[in-house]
Amino acid sequence: MSSYLGRHAELYDLFYQDKAYEQEARFAASLAREQGIAPPARWLDVACGSGRHAFALEQLGFNVAGVDYSPSQLAQANQSKQQRHSHVTFAQQDMRQLNVPDRPFDVVSCLFDSIGYVQTNEAVLEALRCMHAHLRPGGLLVMEFWHAAGMLKSYDPVRIRRWTLPDRQIVRISETTVDVARQLCHVQYSVHELLTDGRCHRFTETQTNRFFLVQEMDLLLTTTGFKSVSWHAGYDRERTIDSGTFHVVVAATKLS
């Protein structure tokens, strides 16, 4: 399973500083309210990364716990927790073997396409069963995944981004290859830190994530004891899911 490690994890919040975490948390919270779940309900954020969604959900009044596979990401989350004086609890967990002692939860979320990191059908089913086991009866799963139609039609083979800081410029080159048969995207990140004193630091890391069709994901959810209640083109209630949709958000309730 892919994992942001070391310096990549330290730079994660810089790379995604423009991501609308607060807006996405409000959207997820609105899906919960539609199922009668409101603060201070208990919320488990699976693959929480550096904790940005978890902190935003806490600000909305939820009692939040976060788990992630990457110790480097959790180190960043705990550092932010201290700075924010937050009460979110974080723990290192593999979503395929999820075992949070203080359960059940009213909501489990798995956002930013993280379900695709486990890649295989068997692993996805294991992860969904674990999330199911951590929900109370009638509890809600909110999950985001890469949409196959959008990925295959419009992915960028190469993308270059730059960030300028007081003491350095950071350049990230993302090179994407697609394994169509296995429904996997392999993204190699090459990160160059160009310091003002002329030094240069460089590292590479490859992330692999799976993409899914809507009907395929619905079957995986049904197989693991969920019933889907709504599907969305990203965090937008107005758009229709189509071939230009890169991210799908699904809300599903636990049946038993």
Side-chain angles (χ1 to χ4, degrees):
M1 186 163 68
S2 299
S3 181
Y4 289 88
L5 299 171
R7 185 60 176 155
H8 204 180
E10 292 174 1
L11 293 171
Y12 184 89
D13 283 342
L14 172 68
F15 292 158
Y16 296 105
Q17 62 185 351
D18 297 327
K19 183 173 172 59
Y21 287 100
E22 290 78 12
Q23 176 186 335
E24 293 171 7
R26 289 194 298 272
F27 186 93
S30 73
L31 297 177
R33 284 195 298 272
E34 290 172 2
Q35 302 305 312
I37 303 170
R42 303 187 66 242
W43 193 301
L44 176 64
D45 189 28
V46 175
C48 65
S50 62
R52 297 281 297 278
H53 282 124
F55 296 132
L57 290 163
E58 181 185 41
Q59 287 297 307
L60 294 174
F62 291 96
N63 182 2
V64 186
V67 297
D68 198 273
Y69 182 77
S70 168
S72 300
Q73 285 279 67
L74 291 171
Q76 297 304 307
N78 279 308
Q79 182 177 330
S80 294
K81 173 182 175 176
Q82 292 181 353
Q83 295 169 348
R84 296 167 181 263
H85 305 289
S86 168
H87 297 288
V88 176
T89 60
F90 293 107
Q92 185 178 1
Q93 296 261 336
D94 184 329
M95 71 172 75
R96 298 164 296 184
Q97 301 170 347
L98 195 62
N99 185 18
V100 180
D102 192 18
R103 58 181 178 180
F105 292 85
D106 300 291
V107 184
V108 171
S109 56
C110 186
L111 305 176
F112 211 173
D113 316 307
S114 298
I115 188 64
Y117 285 124
V118 297
Q119 303 177 20
T120 67
N121 285 340
E122 293 78 9
V124 172
L125 290 169
E126 286 176 351
L128 290 175
R129 289 189 183 104
C130 284
M131 295 180 208
H132 184 276
H134 281 69
L135 280 168
R136 64 164 173 80
L140 186 71
L141 172 66
V142 180
M143 186 167 63
E144 179 185 359
F145 60 91
W146 266 356
H147 184 222
M151 291 302 303
L152 291 172
K153 179 182 178 182
S154 303
Y155 79 92
D156 291 329
V158 179
R159 179 181 293 180
I160 301 174
R161 293 198 62 190
R162 293 178 173 85
W163 294 264
T164 300
L165 303 178
D167 65 336
R168 70 194 62 202
Q169 183 179 79
I170 298 176
V171 180
R172 186 184 69 177
I173 304 169
S174 309
E175 299 176 89
T176 300
T177 57
V178 177
D179 182 337
V180 175
R182 297 172 63 204
Q183 296 177 224
L184 297 176
C185 276
H186 306 288
V187 184
Q188 178 175 286
Y189 295 105
S190 300
V191 179
H192 305 257
E193 295 188 70
L194 311 174
L195 280 68
T196 54
D197 63 8
R199 290 178 297 157
C200 178
H201 301 308
R202 177 181 179 272
F203 67 85
T204 62
E205 183 174 305
T206 299
Q207 298 282 328
T208 298
N209 201 316
R210 177 172 169 180
F211 45 87
F212 302 84
L213 292 167
V214 169
Q215 293 280 357
E216 172 187 22
M217 182 57 75
D218 196 35
L219 178 60
L220 292 166
L221 289 166
T222 300
T223 301
T224 50
F226 290 100
K227 178 178 175 57
S228 60
V229 293
S230 62
W231 300 83
H232 306 274
Y235 296 86
D236 189 333
R237 293 183 181 273
E238 303 302 321
R239 288 183 54 206
T240 300
I241 297 171
D242 57 25
S243 61
T245 302
F246 272 81
H247 308 272
V248 173
V249 175
V250 57
T253 54
K254 175 175 176 173
L255 292 178
S256 59

